[in-house]
Amino acid sequence: MNLLTAQNLKKSYKGKEVLNCNLSLPVGKVIALVGPNGAGKSTLLNIAAGLVAPTSGSLKMFNSFDPGSDEIRSRVAFVAQDVSLHDSLTVAEMIKVSGCLNRSFTADLARQRIADLGIGLKMKVKELSGGQRAQVSLSLALAKNPDALLLDEPTAALDPLASHEFLASVMQTVAETEISVIFSSHSMSDLARVSDFVTLLAHGQLQLNTDIDNVLSSHWLVRSTVSEINAVDDADIIDIDTNAVVGFHLIRSEDESKLRSFEISKPSLEQIVLAYLRNSRSHDLKQVGEVK
Amino acid sequence: MNSTKMLTVVSGPTDSDTQSFSVLQATLILRRNLIIALLVYPIVLGGILYLWLPDIAQYSLNKVLSPGTNQKLIDTISQVQNRANILVTVLPYLPILVGMLVGAPLFSRQFENGTYKFDWTQGAGRFRMLRSDLVVILGISGLGAFVIGSVYQHLWRQPLVLATNGVSGSFDPANWLSGQILLQPALYAAETIFFVVISMVIGTLIKRVLGAIVCALVLLVIVAVAFQPLYAQSRTVNVHTVTTNDPLEINPETQAKLLSYGFSPTKHGDFEVKRGWLNSNGTLSLVQTDPFLKLDANGYAQADPATGNLLFESGARYKAIVKKIGKPYVIWWRAPSDYPFWVAGWSIAMLLLSALLIGLIKLRIGRKS
């Protein structure tokens, strides 16, 4: 079963296309949705959460359900980028509101979790720190007992400690409930810590969409000249190192044996992602140059 | 992955859940707008009391004083009443103003703070939440407007009912002018609902709290200025004609007095007054289009011996009074219900327009491609 299936999914704002992709994301994974600013990450999550509709194409959750439907609102919890809670309410009131709005909401779970984090129930939301807001938001989302959690850059505004604690909470929840998570982030370290599947978007288009184990096993840093690396069969060149005559180039190849003549090493996930981002940017620059 | 869990169908909240949310929502909305309520409603209630006081004083005077024995005090009361006219003009707009101050931020605040992302992704869904919001806000503002409109009309449009019957008697429906009691407050409530809804629409368009409130207020001012004559007409109670049952005995002396006060015969032979006429059969008809005149066909007109400022001859069986004379009144004749139907139509039209605007709100907050 797929958590999310997008077919010819397009979204434009004021005529500018911000998303254009086909995509399938599996259930039961912690999926890192990465990409630079304007890559379409938030747009994809907003569509999945039912906040906006696509301009064309379709997106289905759990194979067959429309985002925003009663079914999906009950089964999917969304934590927005700006952790949008009602500032004028207390934490206890936020729990009460969430309880009224969600049939399967477990208020005690939310209260317990928030109390364990040392956050006062009588505190107003506006009095909370960024990290506390994120934790309250996550607690409310988890108390819905959802099958999937959509986290739209929830750690973007957090300090390193708060970010670490938030991610630890997510990981603990995943371990306890086997919930599906889509987690968008700029932070490569976040990505490496919590996710087991990576989806890379750049300029609204899908660059990479696979298990992190697959990513790590199929990508190589190859030390060679540009002409040598171009001569390798059945390998996709992701990133060319032009800083030196003999540089470290990132390539994707399922067959390690074809690279035996080179000095190779395993890149980190961060190196791979950055290489894809550079690749997409240079591709765009090239396209812009061609247009000009 | 727990596949059993994945396949479990969890439906959204039931109606009873939504109702409990409505109660919570009402509490939150009231709390959020507490400052507005604390500032504006005392003004409304204070205004009503301010209008009421002269009537109460007058009623008390009528009880203890002989007619015309304290003309100075009566004149003072009249002056207070006249000064209140400005407030009277503003008062009807206050519930609308409150409604707009509550309605305009409803969605603009959600967009400005991003809380719509939280609200609209919950199990209840945005349209059920909209329904709850509408029930709460329109219910409270509409009911509030109806109540204030009723009190306002009762105390001001028919002040003589209070002056004649006292506080307790004035709330006896038997002393009310039938047909006007429900329609006028209903119009008032419909207007309020319309302005609340339109301010909510503005909120979905502007998406900024301050901008939405300013736009809503500008709209209110424009409408108030443009439609004031129409509103004044619609809010006038005695736009109908009332006619005395019995012919009046008009002697030449009386006729001369009437002429001196600006009455004149019509081309039909009726004796016209400023807002009424003496019919050729001797009956008196009054048309009250100006609520400030305080004319009422329900009582006897009596002379004021202290000033001689007579509109009608002392002792004559005129069935009209001028309130500032400040004498006891005897209700003996009840005006027929002749409220113009267009007032009801106007109310219905505004409610229908409100329904259309709610449809527009649904479009504005729905998922957009």
Side-chain angles (χ1 to χ4, degrees):
Chain A
M1 179 183 281
N2 283 330
L3 168 62
L4 182 155
T5 310
Q7 290 186 323
N8 300 318
L9 183 69
K10 292 183 181 178
K11 180 67 185 176
S12 301
Y13 289 110
K14 296 178 181 175
K16 186 186 176 191
E17 190 173 86
V18 295
L19 189 64
N20 180 1
C21 66
N22 289 291
L23 180 66
S24 289
L25 301 178
V27 293
K29 302 277 187 184
V30 178
I31 299 161
L33 182 60
V34 293
N37 286 333
K41 304 186 300 292
S42 290
T43 302
L44 179 63
L45 289 179
N46 282 338
I47 293 173
L51 284 172
V52 294
T55 305
S56 64
S58 72
L59 186 148
K60 297 288 183 188
M61 300 294 286
F62 301 114
N63 286 359
S64 57
F65 295 105
D66 289 325
S69 61
D70 286 352
E71 175 76 17
I72 293 306
R73 285 198 315 275
S74 296
R75 292 177 60 179
V76 175
F78 177 65
V79 177
Q81 191 170 7
D82 42 9
V83 194
S84 46
L85 301 174
H86 292 274
D87 281 347
S88 59
L89 302 186
T90 63
V91 175
E93 286 167 338
M94 279 304 307
I95 294 171
K96 199 171 177 185
V97 167
S98 299
C100 288
L101 293 173
N102 296 284
R103 192 177 186 181
S104 56
F105 192 83
T106 314
D108 288 341
L109 178 67
R111 280 192 207 98
Q112 185 62 50
R113 198 173 177 284
I114 289 168
D116 289 346
L117 291 163
I119 301 170
L121 291 173
K122 290 182 179 176
M123 286 179 77
K124 285 205 168 187
V125 169
K126 64 184 171 192
E127 295 167 353
L128 301 177
S129 67
Q132 288 175 321
R133 284 172 70 99
Q135 288 287 8
V136 169
S137 196
L138 180 64
S139 300
L140 295 175
L142 293 175
K144 279 177 73 175
N145 296 306
D147 293 324
L149 189 59
L150 308 181
L151 305 173
D152 186 8
E153 299 192 29
T155 59
L158 303 188
D159 61 53
L161 179 61
S163 176
H164 183 275
E165 288 173 348
F166 182 88
L167 292 173
S169 298
V170 173
M171 291 307 295
Q172 185 184 354
T173 303
V174 169
E176 290 170 353
T177 64
E178 298 183 339
I179 191 174
S180 302
V181 179
I182 303 179
F183 173 70
S184 79
S185 177
H186 282 119
S187 166
M188 296 303 150
S189 57
D190 289 353
L191 156 68
R193 277 182 59 206
V194 302
S195 54
D196 46 17
F197 193 96
V198 61
T199 299
L200 177 59
L201 285 174
H203 307 288
Q205 297 189 324
L206 189 64
Q207 308 294 322
L208 189 63
N209 188 49
T210 186
D211 272 313
I212 284 182
D213 290 344
N214 286 341
V215 175
L216 293 173
S217 64
S218 60
H219 288 77
W220 306 91
L221 273 175
V222 179
R223 187 166 187 272
S224 72
T225 63
V226 175
S227 57
E228 283 172 339
I229 198 69
N230 277 330
V232 177
D233 291 333
D234 296 332
D236 297 324
I237 301 170
I238 308 301
D239 191 32
I240 296 285
D241 181 0
T242 56
N243 292 329
V245 176
V246 179
F248 286 93
H249 314 295
L250 187 89
I251 70 162
R252 179 170 59 197
S253 174
E254 304 296 336
D255 188 356
E256 184 184 353
S257 63
K258 293 189 175 177
L259 304 172
R260 279 180 187 159
S261 57
F262 300 105
E263 178 186 339
I264 61 173
S265 59
K266 296 299 291 183
S268 68
L269 186 60
E270 184 172 358
Q271 284 176 307
I272 296 170
V273 169
L274 290 174
Y276 272 92
L277 294 178
R278 275 195 298 271
N279 179 291
S280 73
R281 191 172 60 186
S282 62
H283 180 69
D284 278 359
L285 289 173
K286 188 180 172 188
Q287 280 188 330
V288 170
E290 285 168 355
V291 170
K292 284 179 179 174
Chain B
M1 185 70 203
N2 184 344
S3 59
T4 307
K5 186 186 177 193
M6 291 301 302
L7 292 172
T8 302
V9 174
V10 182
S11 58
T14 61
D15 275 352
S16 61
D17 294 323
T18 310
Q19 283 161 10
S20 64
F21 175 71
S22 296
V23 174
L24 180 65
Q25 189 80 333
T27 310
L28 297 178
I29 288 172
L30 286 174
R31 204 178 69 182
R32 191 178 295 150
N33 295 284
L34 192 60
I35 294 173
I36 294 172
L38 287 176
L39 285 176
V40 176
Y41 276 104
I43 296 175
V44 175
L45 294 174
I48 288 172
L49 279 175
Y50 186 53
L51 294 173
W52 203 2
L53 284 174
D55 287 310
I56 294 172
Q58 187 166 318
Y59 174 73
S60 305
L61 284 173
N62 290 339
K63 284 283 203 185
V64 298
L65 299 176
S66 303
T69 54
N70 199 338
Q71 186 60 37
K72 191 174 179 183
L73 181 56
I74 291 170
D75 288 344
T76 303
I77 291 169
S78 294
Q79 286 167 11
V80 172
Q81 188 85 52
N82 289 334
R83 282 200 298 272
N85 288 347
I86 297 171
L87 186 60
V88 165
T89 307
V90 173
L91 202 57
Y93 293 99
L94 283 179
I96 298 174
L97 179 67
V98 171
M100 295 184 95
L101 291 177
V102 174
L106 186 70
F107 289 109
S108 55
R109 183 184 285 123
Q110 282 192 318
F111 285 119
E112 189 170 286
N113 298 341
T115 49
Y116 75 96
K117 293 177 187 172
F118 174 83
D119 291 344
W120 295 356
T121 52
Q122 304 303 310
R126 67 191 79 184
F127 295 127
R128 280 185 192 157
M129 295 188 72
L130 171 65
R131 193 178 67 187
S132 291
D133 287 340
L134 289 175
V135 167
V136 171
I137 291 179
L138 297 187
I140 291 173
S141 58
L143 190 64
F146 189 89
V147 170
I148 287 178
S150 300
V151 175
Y152 172 73
Q153 173 179 307
H154 189 61
L155 297 182
W156 179 60
R157 304 294 179 188
Q158 306 180 80
L160 299 176
V161 175
L162 177 69
T164 306
N165 301 286
V167 176
S168 57
S170 72
F171 285 97
D172 179 359
N175 294 325
W176 296 354
L177 296 184
S178 60
Q180 299 165 12
I181 296 303
L182 287 179
L183 267 181
Q184 185 67 25
L187 175 65
Y188 204 41
E191 286 172 346
T192 302
I193 286 172
F194 174 75
F195 278 101
V196 172
V197 172
I198 206 166
S199 62
M200 288 164 74
V201 172
I202 290 170
T204 66
L205 294 170
I206 303 293
K207 298 187 177 179
R208 287 287 178 272
V209 174
L210 190 59
I213 289 175
V214 168
C215 285
L217 292 179
V218 168
L219 180 74
L220 176 62
V221 171
I222 291 171
V223 169
V225 171
F227 290 90
Q228 177 57 34
L230 188 61
Y231 284 174
Q233 189 183 352
S234 75
R235 290 195 172 110
T236 302
V237 173
N238 294 317
V239 290
H240 56 271
T241 302
V242 291
T243 305
T244 55
N245 292 342
D246 302 324
L248 303 173
E249 296 170 2
I250 304 176
N251 57 36
E253 189 183 343
T254 303
Q255 208 167 63
K257 279 188 182 297
L258 290 172
L259 281 168
S260 71
Y261 279 95
F263 300 1
S264 59
T266 67
K267 60 183 177 181
H268 305 295
D270 298 337
F271 213 82
E272 190 177 55
V273 296
K274 284 180 181 175
R275 288 176 178 80
W277 59 89
L278 291 166
N279 300 304
S280 56
N281 66 357
T283 57
L284 173 70
S285 295
L286 288 173
V287 178
Q288 186 172 347
T289 55
D290 185 348
F292 300 123
L293 279 183
K294 310 296 183 196
L295 290 174
D296 193 331
N298 294 334
Y300 284 99
Q302 296 188 31
D304 184 344
T307 63
N309 188 18
L310 308 180
L311 277 179
F312 302 99
E313 187 178 10
S314 176
R317 290 189 295 128
Y318 297 136
K319 309 302 184 279
I321 53 170
V322 175
K323 186 186 176 190
K324 68 179 180 180
I325 291 175
K327 299 295 168 58
Y329 312 109
V330 179
I331 291 179
W332 67 282
W333 187 86
R334 199 157 295 286
S337 174
D338 190 20
Y339 214 75
F341 179 74
W342 67 267
V343 173
W346 182 257
S347 305
I348 292 167
M350 277 200 283
L351 290 177
L352 288 175
L353 266 176
S354 301
L356 282 174
L357 289 172
I358 288 169
L360 184 61
I361 291 172
K362 285 188 76 169
L363 283 177
R364 288 291 305 168
I365 68 171
R367 291 200 308 151
K368 294 178 190 63
S369 56

